[in-house]
């Protein structure tokens, strides 16, 4: 599901705490790039998918 993606935390500029996860997919054949900003919410299905990906041994990159 996340093959070739960059997955990293986003920090809130107000608090400095992680506030979401940004998923950047590889460029499509037309050069377009899809990105998702996934909130850190347990009920969010994208967040659940990322947590399953982490459980498989992957790591979310730290925010810049």
């Amino acid at each position: 599901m996340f093959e070739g993606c960059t997955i990293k935390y986003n920090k809130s500029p107000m608090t400095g705490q992680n506030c979401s996860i940004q998923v950047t997919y590889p460029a499509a054949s037309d050069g377009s790039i899809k990105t998702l900003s996934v909130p850190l919410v347990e009920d969010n299905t994208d967040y659940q998918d990322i947590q399953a990906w982490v459980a498989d041994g992957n790591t979310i990159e730290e925010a810049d």
Side-chain angles (χ1 to χ4, degrees):
M1 171 173 240
F2 298 115
E3 183 77 28
C5 292
T6 300
I7 301 177
K8 69 189 307 183
Y9 286 107
N10 289 317
K11 285 191 185 234
S12 166
M14 302 290 276
T15 66
Q17 300 293 315
N18 291 337
C19 62
S20 64
I21 300 168
Q22 182 168 329
V23 180
T24 305
Y25 289 85
S29 59
D30 65 358
S32 64
I33 297 174
K34 176 182 172 184
T35 61
L36 294 177
S37 183
V38 180
L40 305 178
V41 175
E42 295 287 331
D43 291 339
N44 183 290
T45 56
D46 291 322
Y47 181 78
Q48 292 169 7
D49 289 343
I50 292 169
Q51 293 308 304
W53 177 80
V54 168
D56 286 340
N58 298 289
T59 304
I60 301 169
E61 295 179 26
E62 291 300 320
D64 293 330

